[in-house]
Amino acid sequence: MNTLIDTTLGTAHWVWRNITLDVPWSENYFWALTVLSVIVWGLEVCFPWRKHQARIRKDFWLDAFYMYFNFFIFSIVISGFYAVINQHLSELGLSTNSLALLDMSGWPLVSQLLVFFVLLDFLQWITHKTLHRFDILWRFHQVHHSIKEMGFAGHLRYHWMENIFYKPLKTLGVMLIGGFEPSQAFVVHFFTITIGHLNHSNIKLSYGPLKYLLNNPVMHLYHHAYHLPKEHRYGVNFGLTLSVWDYLFGSAYVPETSGEITIGYPNDNEMPKDFIKQLLHGFKKSF
Ligand SMILES: [Zn+2]
Ligand SMILES: [Zn+2]
């Protein structure tokens, strides 16, 4: 019980230290997310891809709230539970190093971060694909796909259960690489948030030949497409930061680049409009 309370309070304190700038800029998630959001929004306003889309698009404020909810408020709530699970796992003799396939402790930090980034991105690609493949998981992921106009803040509109679905494979990834300290990974996390914001933004970017490596707004728009090709009925373009997995495994699909497509999924009008009801969405079989 002490672990639960101490960790929850510790995370709340960490969030507060971020907000009050007691955490330096080089590792301050709150202000990094806020400044990045303002910059990407500014780019959307100055260089819009879909020119008819409002600057404050449909569900802008709901999605802005989701950003802070999923990133900070939910982290506070869940951190204590994760700490209790970790405590039980270590009592069973399962430490974070017990599955390590590599020992990176002597490696330069850049190489460690690169391995961490690529491994985690791949495991998240698998998780994302799984969310589309199984109805019981898809019902939760529908919250993200209920976006009807793409904009940067839509990036972090997702059901809180997704945080839990992504966790096991992410934890496994960290366990596979020994000698790595995830707290050093601010730069990796910030890079992935930047690419994720851009992927959902109303800016036409595909990074030239780097599109085969990096996910981008043109590619991710088709991930949200309402009409999917028959051979890809469970979805396309599952990449988070890297697009390379979709090109390697045959799920890449970018037929054209006008940006004018319908997004969503069949019956998406049944998605509740307010945040609280969306928190409960997915638990009812009727959806
Ligand atoms: Zn998806
Ligand atoms: Zn998306």
Short mmCIF file of all heavy atoms in Angstrom, two decimals, residues 189-234:
data_model
loop_
_atom_site.label_atom_id
_atom_site.label_comp_id
_atom_site.label_asym_id
_atom_site.label_seq_id
_atom_site.Cartn_x
_atom_site.Cartn_y
_atom_site.Cartn_z
N HIS A 189 11.91 10.22 -26.58
CA HIS A 189 10.48 10.47 -26.38
C HIS A 189 10.06 11.78 -27.05
O HIS A 189 9.02 11.86 -27.68
CB HIS A 189 10.14 10.51 -24.88
CG HIS A 189 10.22 9.16 -24.25
ND1 HIS A 189 10.84 8.92 -23.04
CD2 HIS A 189 9.79 7.95 -24.68
CE1 HIS A 189 10.76 7.63 -22.76
NE2 HIS A 189 10.13 7.03 -23.74
N PHE A 190 10.90 12.79 -26.93
CA PHE A 190 10.55 14.09 -27.51
C PHE A 190 10.49 13.98 -29.04
O PHE A 190 9.61 14.54 -29.69
CB PHE A 190 11.54 15.17 -27.06
CG PHE A 190 11.12 16.53 -27.51
CD1 PHE A 190 9.95 17.11 -27.02
CD2 PHE A 190 11.85 17.23 -28.46
CE1 PHE A 190 9.53 18.35 -27.45
CE2 PHE A 190 11.43 18.48 -28.90
CZ PHE A 190 10.27 19.04 -28.40
N PHE A 191 11.44 13.23 -29.61
CA PHE A 191 11.44 13.03 -31.07
C PHE A 191 10.16 12.29 -31.50
O PHE A 191 9.50 12.69 -32.48
CB PHE A 191 12.69 12.23 -31.47
CG PHE A 191 12.76 11.92 -32.94
CD1 PHE A 191 12.90 12.94 -33.87
CD2 PHE A 191 12.69 10.61 -33.39
CE1 PHE A 191 12.96 12.67 -35.24
CE2 PHE A 191 12.75 10.32 -34.75
CZ PHE A 191 12.88 11.35 -35.67
N THR A 192 9.77 11.28 -30.77
CA THR A 192 8.57 10.52 -31.16
C THR A 192 7.30 11.37 -31.01
O THR A 192 6.39 11.28 -31.82
CB THR A 192 8.41 9.20 -30.35
OG1 THR A 192 8.30 9.53 -28.97
CG2 THR A 192 9.57 8.28 -30.53
N ILE A 193 7.28 12.23 -29.98
CA ILE A 193 6.10 13.11 -29.82
C ILE A 193 6.05 14.11 -30.98
O ILE A 193 4.98 14.41 -31.52
CB ILE A 193 6.17 13.88 -28.47
CG1 ILE A 193 6.13 12.92 -27.30
CG2 ILE A 193 4.99 14.85 -28.34
CD1 ILE A 193 6.60 13.56 -26.00
N THR A 194 7.21 14.62 -31.38
CA THR A 194 7.26 15.57 -32.49
C THR A 194 6.73 14.93 -33.77
O THR A 194 5.87 15.49 -34.47
CB THR A 194 8.71 16.07 -32.72
OG1 THR A 194 9.20 16.58 -31.50
CG2 THR A 194 8.78 17.13 -33.80
N ILE A 195 7.23 13.74 -34.09
CA ILE A 195 6.78 13.05 -35.31
C ILE A 195 5.28 12.73 -35.20
O ILE A 195 4.53 12.89 -36.16
CB ILE A 195 7.62 11.77 -35.56
CG1 ILE A 195 9.08 12.14 -35.83
CG2 ILE A 195 7.05 10.95 -36.72
CD1 ILE A 195 9.34 12.91 -37.11
N GLY A 196 4.83 12.33 -34.02
CA GLY A 196 3.40 12.00 -33.81
C GLY A 196 2.52 13.23 -34.01
O GLY A 196 1.45 13.14 -34.63
N HIS A 197 2.95 14.38 -33.47
CA HIS A 197 2.19 15.63 -33.67
C HIS A 197 2.12 15.95 -35.17
O HIS A 197 1.05 16.26 -35.68
CB HIS A 197 2.90 16.77 -32.94
CG HIS A 197 2.34 17.08 -31.58
ND1 HIS A 197 1.93 16.11 -30.70
CD2 HIS A 197 2.13 18.27 -30.94
CE1 HIS A 197 1.49 16.69 -29.59
NE2 HIS A 197 1.60 18.00 -29.70
N LEU A 198 3.27 15.86 -35.84
CA LEU A 198 3.30 16.17 -37.28
C LEU A 198 2.43 15.19 -38.06
O LEU A 198 1.73 15.58 -39.00
CB LEU A 198 4.74 16.16 -37.79
CG LEU A 198 5.61 17.33 -37.30
CD1 LEU A 198 7.07 17.10 -37.64
CD2 LEU A 198 5.14 18.67 -37.89
N ASN A 199 2.46 13.90 -37.68
CA ASN A 199 1.67 12.89 -38.39
C ASN A 199 0.19 13.25 -38.43
O ASN A 199 -0.52 12.91 -39.38
CB ASN A 199 1.79 11.52 -37.71
CG ASN A 199 3.14 10.89 -37.92
OD1 ASN A 199 3.90 11.30 -38.80
ND2 ASN A 199 3.47 9.91 -37.09
N HIS A 200 -0.29 13.88 -37.37
CA HIS A 200 -1.72 14.22 -37.29
C HIS A 200 -2.01 15.63 -37.75
O HIS A 200 -3.17 16.05 -37.78
CB HIS A 200 -2.22 14.01 -35.85
CG HIS A 200 -2.21 12.57 -35.45
ND1 HIS A 200 -1.09 11.96 -34.98
CD2 HIS A 200 -3.18 11.62 -35.51
CE1 HIS A 200 -1.35 10.68 -34.75
NE2 HIS A 200 -2.62 10.44 -35.07
N SER A 201 -0.97 16.38 -38.09
CA SER A 201 -1.18 17.81 -38.38
C SER A 201 -1.75 18.02 -39.78
O SER A 201 -1.67 17.14 -40.65
CB SER A 201 0.15 18.55 -38.26
OG SER A 201 1.00 18.18 -39.33
N ASN A 202 -2.29 19.22 -39.97
CA ASN A 202 -2.83 19.61 -41.28
C ASN A 202 -1.72 20.27 -42.11
O ASN A 202 -1.87 21.38 -42.57
CB ASN A 202 -4.01 20.57 -41.06
CG ASN A 202 -4.69 20.94 -42.35
OD1 ASN A 202 -4.59 20.22 -43.35
ND2 ASN A 202 -5.37 22.08 -42.37
N ILE A 203 -0.61 19.56 -42.23
CA ILE A 203 0.54 20.08 -42.99
C ILE A 203 0.96 18.98 -43.95
O ILE A 203 1.09 17.82 -43.53
CB ILE A 203 1.74 20.42 -42.06
CG1 ILE A 203 1.31 21.34 -40.91
CG2 ILE A 203 2.87 21.07 -42.84
CD1 ILE A 203 2.36 21.46 -39.82
N LYS A 204 1.18 19.35 -45.20
CA LYS A 204 1.57 18.32 -46.18
C LYS A 204 3.08 18.11 -46.13
O LYS A 204 3.85 18.91 -46.64
CB LYS A 204 1.14 18.73 -47.58
CG LYS A 204 1.34 17.61 -48.59
CD LYS A 204 0.85 17.98 -49.95
CE LYS A 204 0.95 16.79 -50.89
NZ LYS A 204 0.50 17.12 -52.23
N LEU A 205 3.47 17.04 -45.49
CA LEU A 205 4.88 16.71 -45.37
C LEU A 205 5.05 15.23 -45.63
O LEU A 205 4.24 14.43 -45.16
CB LEU A 205 5.33 16.92 -43.92
CG LEU A 205 5.74 18.29 -43.40
CD1 LEU A 205 6.04 18.18 -41.91
CD2 LEU A 205 6.96 18.79 -44.16
N SER A 206 6.08 14.86 -46.42
CA SER A 206 6.36 13.42 -46.53
C SER A 206 7.85 13.14 -46.50
O SER A 206 8.26 12.00 -46.62
CB SER A 206 5.70 12.82 -47.77
OG SER A 206 6.12 13.52 -48.92
N TYR A 207 8.67 14.17 -46.31
CA TYR A 207 10.12 14.04 -46.09
C TYR A 207 10.89 13.43 -47.27
O TYR A 207 11.94 12.83 -47.07
CB TYR A 207 10.42 13.23 -44.81
CG TYR A 207 9.59 13.63 -43.61
CD1 TYR A 207 8.93 12.66 -42.84
CD2 TYR A 207 9.45 14.96 -43.22
CE1 TYR A 207 8.17 13.01 -41.74
CE2 TYR A 207 8.68 15.33 -42.13
CZ TYR A 207 8.03 14.35 -41.40
OH TYR A 207 7.27 14.69 -40.32
N GLY A 208 10.37 13.53 -48.50
CA GLY A 208 11.10 13.02 -49.69
C GLY A 208 11.38 11.55 -49.54
O GLY A 208 10.53 10.78 -49.09
N PRO A 209 12.61 11.13 -49.90
CA PRO A 209 12.92 9.69 -49.82
C PRO A 209 12.90 9.14 -48.40
O PRO A 209 12.77 7.94 -48.18
CB PRO A 209 14.34 9.58 -50.42
CG PRO A 209 14.86 10.98 -50.50
CD PRO A 209 13.71 11.93 -50.46
N LEU A 210 12.96 10.04 -47.41
CA LEU A 210 12.91 9.59 -46.01
C LEU A 210 11.53 9.06 -45.62
O LEU A 210 11.34 8.53 -44.54
CB LEU A 210 13.30 10.72 -45.06
CG LEU A 210 14.79 11.06 -44.98
CD1 LEU A 210 15.01 12.20 -44.00
CD2 LEU A 210 15.61 9.84 -44.58
N LYS A 211 10.55 9.21 -46.55
CA LYS A 211 9.20 8.69 -46.25
C LYS A 211 9.21 7.17 -46.04
O LYS A 211 8.32 6.64 -45.39
CB LYS A 211 8.22 9.06 -47.35
CG LYS A 211 8.44 8.34 -48.66
CD LYS A 211 7.44 8.80 -49.70
CE LYS A 211 7.72 8.13 -51.02
NZ LYS A 211 6.91 8.64 -52.11
N TYR A 212 10.22 6.49 -46.61
CA TYR A 212 10.30 5.04 -46.42
C TYR A 212 10.82 4.67 -45.03
O TYR A 212 10.81 3.52 -44.62
CB TYR A 212 11.18 4.40 -47.50
CG TYR A 212 10.59 4.59 -48.87
CD1 TYR A 212 11.19 5.46 -49.79
CD2 TYR A 212 9.41 3.94 -49.24
CE1 TYR A 212 10.63 5.66 -51.05
CE2 TYR A 212 8.84 4.14 -50.49
CZ TYR A 212 9.45 5.00 -51.38
OH TYR A 212 8.87 5.20 -52.61
N LEU A 213 11.31 5.68 -44.34
CA LEU A 213 11.86 5.46 -43.00
C LEU A 213 10.97 6.07 -41.93
O LEU A 213 10.67 5.45 -40.92
CB LEU A 213 13.26 6.10 -42.94
CG LEU A 213 14.11 5.82 -41.72
CD1 LEU A 213 14.43 4.34 -41.63
CD2 LEU A 213 15.40 6.63 -41.79
N LEU A 214 10.53 7.31 -42.20
CA LEU A 214 9.80 8.06 -41.17
C LEU A 214 8.31 8.17 -41.52
O LEU A 214 7.96 8.51 -42.65
CB LEU A 214 10.33 9.49 -41.08
CG LEU A 214 11.55 9.75 -40.22
CD1 LEU A 214 11.90 11.24 -40.27
CD2 LEU A 214 11.30 9.33 -38.77
N ASN A 215 7.47 7.92 -40.53
CA ASN A 215 6.05 8.15 -40.72
C ASN A 215 5.82 9.64 -40.94
O ASN A 215 6.62 10.47 -40.51
CB ASN A 215 5.31 7.66 -39.47
CG ASN A 215 3.83 7.42 -39.72
OD1 ASN A 215 3.34 7.58 -40.83
ND2 ASN A 215 3.13 7.05 -38.67
N ASN A 216 4.73 10.00 -41.60
CA ASN A 216 4.53 11.39 -41.98
C ASN A 216 3.04 11.68 -42.15
O ASN A 216 2.23 10.75 -42.20
CB ASN A 216 5.31 11.67 -43.28
CG ASN A 216 4.95 10.68 -44.36
OD1 ASN A 216 3.89 10.78 -44.98
ND2 ASN A 216 5.81 9.68 -44.58
N PRO A 217 2.65 12.97 -42.22
CA PRO A 217 1.22 13.31 -42.27
C PRO A 217 0.49 12.69 -43.46
O PRO A 217 -0.68 12.28 -43.33
CB PRO A 217 1.22 14.84 -42.40
CG PRO A 217 2.54 15.28 -41.86
CD PRO A 217 3.51 14.17 -42.15
N VAL A 218 1.15 12.59 -44.62
CA VAL A 218 0.49 12.03 -45.80
C VAL A 218 0.18 10.55 -45.56
O VAL A 218 -0.93 10.07 -45.82
CB VAL A 218 1.38 12.22 -47.05
CG1 VAL A 218 0.79 11.50 -48.25
CG2 VAL A 218 1.59 13.71 -47.35
N MET A 219 1.13 9.85 -45.00
CA MET A 219 0.96 8.41 -44.75
C MET A 219 -0.05 8.16 -43.62
O MET A 219 -0.92 7.29 -43.73
CB MET A 219 2.32 7.81 -44.39
CG MET A 219 2.32 6.32 -44.29
SD MET A 219 4.00 5.70 -44.17
CE MET A 219 3.70 3.95 -44.39
N HIS A 220 0.06 8.95 -42.56
CA HIS A 220 -0.81 8.68 -41.41
C HIS A 220 -2.26 9.07 -41.68
O HIS A 220 -3.17 8.50 -41.07
CB HIS A 220 -0.28 9.36 -40.14
CG HIS A 220 -0.92 8.80 -38.90
ND1 HIS A 220 -0.74 7.50 -38.47
CD2 HIS A 220 -1.80 9.35 -38.00
CE1 HIS A 220 -1.45 7.28 -37.38
NE2 HIS A 220 -2.11 8.38 -37.07
N LEU A 221 -2.47 10.02 -42.58
CA LEU A 221 -3.86 10.36 -42.94
C LEU A 221 -4.58 9.10 -43.42
O LEU A 221 -5.73 8.85 -43.06
CB LEU A 221 -3.88 11.44 -44.03
CG LEU A 221 -5.27 11.90 -44.45
CD1 LEU A 221 -5.96 12.68 -43.32
CD2 LEU A 221 -5.21 12.76 -45.71
N TYR A 222 -3.88 8.28 -44.22
CA TYR A 222 -4.49 7.04 -44.73
C TYR A 222 -4.68 6.00 -43.64
O TYR A 222 -5.51 5.10 -43.77
CB TYR A 222 -3.71 6.48 -45.93
CG TYR A 222 -4.19 7.16 -47.18
CD1 TYR A 222 -3.52 8.26 -47.69
CD2 TYR A 222 -5.36 6.75 -47.81
CE1 TYR A 222 -4.00 8.92 -48.80
CE2 TYR A 222 -5.86 7.39 -48.92
CZ TYR A 222 -5.17 8.48 -49.41
OH TYR A 222 -5.67 9.13 -50.50
N HIS A 223 -3.91 6.12 -42.55
CA HIS A 223 -4.19 5.21 -41.42
C HIS A 223 -5.59 5.50 -40.87
O HIS A 223 -6.26 4.60 -40.37
CB HIS A 223 -3.14 5.37 -40.32
CG HIS A 223 -3.44 4.50 -39.14
ND1 HIS A 223 -3.41 3.12 -39.21
CD2 HIS A 223 -3.88 4.79 -37.88
CE1 HIS A 223 -3.78 2.61 -38.04
NE2 HIS A 223 -4.08 3.61 -37.22
N HIS A 224 -6.01 6.76 -40.98
CA HIS A 224 -7.32 7.16 -40.46
C HIS A 224 -8.43 7.07 -41.53
O HIS A 224 -9.56 7.48 -41.26
CB HIS A 224 -7.26 8.58 -39.91
CG HIS A 224 -6.56 8.67 -38.57
ND1 HIS A 224 -7.25 8.79 -37.38
CD2 HIS A 224 -5.26 8.65 -38.24
CE1 HIS A 224 -6.39 8.84 -36.38
NE2 HIS A 224 -5.18 8.76 -36.86
N ALA A 225 -8.11 6.57 -42.73
CA ALA A 225 -9.08 6.57 -43.83
C ALA A 225 -10.33 5.76 -43.49
O ALA A 225 -10.26 4.67 -42.92
CB ALA A 225 -8.43 6.00 -45.09
N TYR A 226 -11.47 6.33 -43.86
CA TYR A 226 -12.76 5.64 -43.66
C TYR A 226 -12.87 4.45 -44.62
O TYR A 226 -13.30 3.37 -44.24
CB TYR A 226 -13.88 6.65 -43.94
CG TYR A 226 -15.27 6.17 -43.63
CD1 TYR A 226 -15.90 6.52 -42.43
CD2 TYR A 226 -15.98 5.39 -44.54
CE1 TYR A 226 -17.19 6.08 -42.14
CE2 TYR A 226 -17.26 4.96 -44.25
CZ TYR A 226 -17.86 5.30 -43.06
OH TYR A 226 -19.13 4.88 -42.78
N HIS A 227 -12.47 4.68 -45.87
CA HIS A 227 -12.56 3.62 -46.89
C HIS A 227 -11.21 2.94 -47.02
O HIS A 227 -10.24 3.57 -47.42
CB HIS A 227 -12.98 4.20 -48.24
CG HIS A 227 -14.33 4.87 -48.18
ND1 HIS A 227 -15.51 4.15 -48.09
CD2 HIS A 227 -14.68 6.18 -48.16
CE1 HIS A 227 -16.53 4.99 -48.02
NE2 HIS A 227 -16.06 6.22 -48.06
N LEU A 228 -11.18 1.65 -46.69
CA LEU A 228 -9.93 0.90 -46.76
C LEU A 228 -9.98 -0.08 -47.93
O LEU A 228 -11.06 -0.59 -48.25
CB LEU A 228 -9.72 0.11 -45.47
CG LEU A 228 -9.44 0.95 -44.22
CD1 LEU A 228 -9.59 0.10 -42.96
CD2 LEU A 228 -8.02 1.53 -44.29
N PRO A 229 -8.84 -0.34 -48.55
CA PRO A 229 -8.85 -1.35 -49.63
C PRO A 229 -9.21 -2.73 -49.06
O PRO A 229 -8.89 -3.02 -47.91
CB PRO A 229 -7.41 -1.33 -50.15
CG PRO A 229 -6.61 -0.58 -49.15
CD PRO A 229 -7.53 0.22 -48.29
N LYS A 230 -9.90 -3.53 -49.88
CA LYS A 230 -10.40 -4.85 -49.41
C LYS A 230 -9.30 -5.71 -48.79
O LYS A 230 -9.49 -6.37 -47.78
CB LYS A 230 -11.00 -5.63 -50.59
CG LYS A 230 -12.45 -5.29 -50.85
CD LYS A 230 -13.10 -6.41 -51.67
CE LYS A 230 -14.51 -6.03 -52.09
NZ LYS A 230 -14.52 -5.02 -53.17
N GLU A 231 -8.11 -5.68 -49.43
CA GLU A 231 -7.04 -6.56 -48.95
C GLU A 231 -6.44 -6.08 -47.63
O GLU A 231 -5.62 -6.76 -47.01
CB GLU A 231 -5.95 -6.74 -50.02
CG GLU A 231 -5.18 -5.50 -50.41
CD GLU A 231 -5.87 -4.64 -51.48
OE1 GLU A 231 -7.12 -4.71 -51.60
OE2 GLU A 231 -5.16 -3.88 -52.17
N HIS A 232 -6.83 -4.89 -47.21
CA HIS A 232 -6.31 -4.34 -45.94
C HIS A 232 -7.47 -3.95 -45.03
O HIS A 232 -7.49 -2.87 -44.48
CB HIS A 232 -5.47 -3.09 -46.21
CG HIS A 232 -4.19 -3.33 -46.92
ND1 HIS A 232 -3.17 -4.08 -46.39
CD2 HIS A 232 -3.75 -2.92 -48.13
CE1 HIS A 232 -2.16 -4.12 -47.25
NE2 HIS A 232 -2.48 -3.43 -48.32
N ARG A 233 -8.44 -4.85 -44.86
CA ARG A 233 -9.66 -4.42 -44.16
C ARG A 233 -9.43 -4.10 -42.69
O ARG A 233 -10.24 -3.43 -42.06
CB ARG A 233 -10.79 -5.43 -44.35
CG ARG A 233 -10.59 -6.75 -43.67
CD ARG A 233 -11.62 -7.75 -44.17
NE ARG A 233 -11.36 -9.07 -43.66
CZ ARG A 233 -12.01 -9.58 -42.64
NH1 ARG A 233 -12.94 -8.91 -42.03
NH2 ARG A 233 -11.72 -10.79 -42.20
N TYR A 234 -8.31 -4.57 -42.11
CA TYR A 234 -8.04 -4.23 -40.71
C TYR A 234 -7.21 -2.95 -40.57
O TYR A 234 -6.93 -2.53 -39.46
CB TYR A 234 -7.33 -5.39 -39.99
CG TYR A 234 -8.22 -6.59 -39.82
CD1 TYR A 234 -8.01 -7.76 -40.55
CD2 TYR A 234 -9.32 -6.53 -38.95
CE1 TYR A 234 -8.86 -8.84 -40.41
CE2 TYR A 234 -10.16 -7.61 -38.80
CZ TYR A 234 -9.93 -8.77 -39.53
OH TYR A 234 -10.78 -9.84 -39.38
#
